[in-house]
Structures are given as C-alpha cells and as structure tokens.
Amino acid sequence: MKNPIGMAGLLTFFRDTLLTERTTNMVSAVHRRDTRIKLVSLLLIIICAVILENIIFLGVLFIILISLVLLSRIPLKLYIVRASFIPLFTVLIALPLPFIVPGNILTIIPTFGFNYLTVSFEGLYRTIVFVSRVWISVGAAVLLVSTSKFSDIAMALRKMGAPEILTTLLLITYRYIFLFADEALSMVQARNMRNFGKEVFIKRIKVVGQMIGTLFLRAFERGEQVYYAMLSRGYVGKLESHTKLKIGKTDVVFLCLIFTIILSLILMDLMAFNFTTLNHSYLTYIIIDLVVEKVYIFTDFTRTFWGLLVV
C-alpha cells in the first residue's frame, strides 16, 4: 500500500532531517571552539532560559541563539526544523493555559451552545513563556550536536567527570539508533511492496506490533554481536578516542562573553517589572488584542456558517 505520509515518511524524515552528522564537518567559528566550552556555554543558555520570566529577555536570548546558528553557517531552515520537532508537543501541552489560568480577561470566545471560553492575559503570557523556554533549550542542544561530533561530546563529558558507563551508553545508543531506523524503514518498504489495496485499521495495528517485535529481536541480536565483536578487539569497558581536546585563548574569550551576556540578562530580568503582576505593556496589549480580535471574527464567522448549515 502506497502511503507517503505513513510510517515510511516519518522514518525517512527522522533519518534525513534529525541526523546531525552532516553539519558537524563544516568549518566555522562555532565549530572550531572546544567541545567542553560549547557544552558549558550552551548549558548556560539553557539555565538562563529556565530562569528568565520576562518575554522580552527571552526574545533577546533567542536572538543570541540564532546569531550563533548564523555564525556556525548551519542552514537556518534545517536548524529550525530540527529545533521545532520537540516544541511542537509542548504547544499541545500548553494550549489549555490561556483558558484555565485566571486573570485579566482579554476576550470572550463564544462556542456552540450556551458555553463560552475566556482568554486571560496571564494564561496567554505563561503559554508564550513556557513554549519559548522549551524551544530555546532544545535549540541550544540541537546547536551543540550540529556543531560537534557525538564522539567529541561523549569525550568532553568524560573529561568533565561524567561516569564512563554513561558516556559509553550514550555513544553506542546514538551510533545505532540511526542504523535501526534504516532497518525499520527497510521493513516498512518491504511490507508496502507486498501489500495492495486498503487495510482494516485493526489489521494495520497488528502488523505494526509484529514489526516492532521483530525489530526488537533484531536489535537484541545485533547488540550481542556487536558486544562480542568489541570483546574480540580488546574492549575492556572503556572506549578510546583519538580526538584531542584543547582549550585555547579564543575559547576562553568565547565562554567569558557568553557568561557575561547570560549574567546580564538574568540580572536585568530580576530587576525588571513582571508583566503578569504589575502594569502590562501597552504594546503587548495592542498586539495580543489584535490577534484575539482576528480569532474572535473567525470564530463568529464559523458559528454563523454552522448555524446556516444546521438550518
């Protein structure tokens, strides 16, 4: 059965888009920085994103992150696709907040029947802040794995005191997750070539379950084979790496610059007025009111059109 938006399409997207090794061999000012410096710098960005409460300073942090992406010469479209994969689920989680968080009511959206939905400023503000935090955090992690080889990241974690077993498991998992994605894609394509016509949904679920079980057995067998192969080549519980990490003067300047910017943002955020407890920004109110007004007009049109259909 030919289904381009099915499992085969998702696996192809995972393999071609989320595989970050294509951009780690590029040459840029960010790529040349020591992996430990990049790890600490991007960790500071993540901590800053979690601490900040003001949406303006989160916007400044977002601009800094995008500036680092442009400096690394990674295609911006590819980066946004990679960084937006997980935050899409965050939007679904945070979607009810504008309707359930009490506060200053921005608008009332009528629904079908006698019920209505109220949109509060505090709820909408919390939603924007929450999604922005998640996006910036995921974007920082994506920038790290897009500019550093995963073996270098594992070695940097090991140099910084991470347990040996943890870095080894991370490295092996990362190396073989794409191998099994290709294996699963081959299984799906083979099934599609042998299947014609439409399938009952229950039967399709059963086939998917069987494929997952088969893939699990193959993964288990492959893991045993790889382990014995490693033992035959002298593996004693430690993966050796030939990459040499060296922190230079430029790396120190880069880290100091990031630290200074992050510290400044946190201090300004602590001294700034909180939009959700004090007087709100008139510009913010105007922008949100325009958006809500468009939503209200669309909802009213939909309700009227539905009423005409019912009549």
Side-chain angles (χ1 to χ4, degrees), residues 41-299:
S41 300
L42 296 175
L43 184 61
L44 288 175
I45 292 178
I46 294 175
I47 294 174
C48 182
V50 174
I51 293 176
L52 294 180
E53 294 284 348
N54 196 310
I55 191 63
I56 294 179
F57 297 127
L58 279 172
V60 173
L61 189 61
F62 172 78
I63 294 174
I64 294 172
L65 185 60
I66 294 298
S67 301
L68 291 175
V69 174
L70 296 177
L71 190 63
S72 66
R73 299 179 182 178
I74 298 174
L76 187 59
K77 182 179 179 180
L78 178 63
Y79 171 80
I80 292 177
V81 171
R82 289 175 177 174
S84 302
F85 184 71
I86 295 178
L88 285 177
F89 301 98
T90 307
V91 174
L92 297 178
I93 297 173
L95 196 59
L97 287 180
F99 306 103
I100 62 177
V101 174
N104 298 323
I105 297 177
L106 288 176
T107 187
I108 298 177
I109 302 177
T111 58
F112 304 112
F114 298 97
N115 298 322
Y116 59 89
L117 297 174
T118 58
V119 179
S120 66
F121 179 86
E122 286 77 6
L124 189 59
Y125 187 83
R126 288 187 184 181
T127 302
I128 297 174
V129 169
F130 179 65
V131 175
S132 301
R133 285 173 174 173
V134 174
W135 199 98
I136 292 173
S137 301
V138 174
V142 170
L143 180 60
L144 175 63
V145 298
S146 298
T147 56
S148 304
K149 294 182 179 179
F150 206 82
S151 58
D152 295 343
I153 298 176
M155 185 177 180
L157 289 172
R158 191 182 308 164
K159 293 287 186 181
M160 296 172 66
E164 183 76 27
I165 185 65
L166 175 62
T167 57
T168 302
L169 287 176
L170 285 175
L171 185 59
I172 294 178
T173 301
Y174 180 81
R175 289 302 180 190
Y176 284 94
I177 190 172
F178 297 102
L179 175 65
F180 290 119
D182 289 335
E183 191 101 16
L185 180 61
S186 300
M187 294 172 60
V188 172
Q189 291 174 343
R191 170 185 169 271
N192 290 341
M193 292 178 63
R194 293 177 176 86
N195 188 30
F196 298 95
K198 294 184 178 180
E199 276 186 335
V200 182
F201 180 75
I202 301 297
K203 183 179 178 181
R204 187 181 304 174
I205 294 296
K206 183 179 179 181
V207 172
V208 171
Q210 293 173 350
M211 293 174 60
I212 292 176
T214 304
L215 186 63
F216 175 77
L217 292 177
R218 291 186 181 182
F220 180 78
E221 294 174 355
R222 183 67 64 86
E224 291 291 321
Q225 294 173 1
V226 170
Y227 177 68
Y228 289 129
M230 293 169 63
L231 288 179
S232 65
R233 289 167 174 80
Y235 175 71
V236 291
K238 182 179 180 180
L239 293 178
E240 299 293 338
S241 177
H242 298 287
T243 304
K244 295 182 179 180
L245 300 179
K246 183 179 180 181
I247 299 178
K249 295 181 180 179
T250 311
D251 298 321
V252 176
V253 172
F254 178 81
L255 180 60
C256 292
L257 180 62
I258 293 295
F259 179 78
T260 303
I261 295 175
I262 296 302
L263 184 61
S264 302
L265 286 176
I266 293 176
L267 291 178
M268 287 189 293
D269 181 75
L270 292 176
M271 293 185 295
F273 292 103
N274 195 333
F275 286 170
T276 59
T277 56
L278 298 177
N279 293 329
H280 305 307
S281 169
Y282 288 107
L283 179 60
T284 307
Y285 260 130
I286 292 174
I287 295 175
I288 294 179
D289 187 63
L290 288 175
V291 174
V292 171
E293 183 180 358
K294 299 299 181 182
V295 174
Y296 178 82
I297 292 174
F298 178 75
T299 306

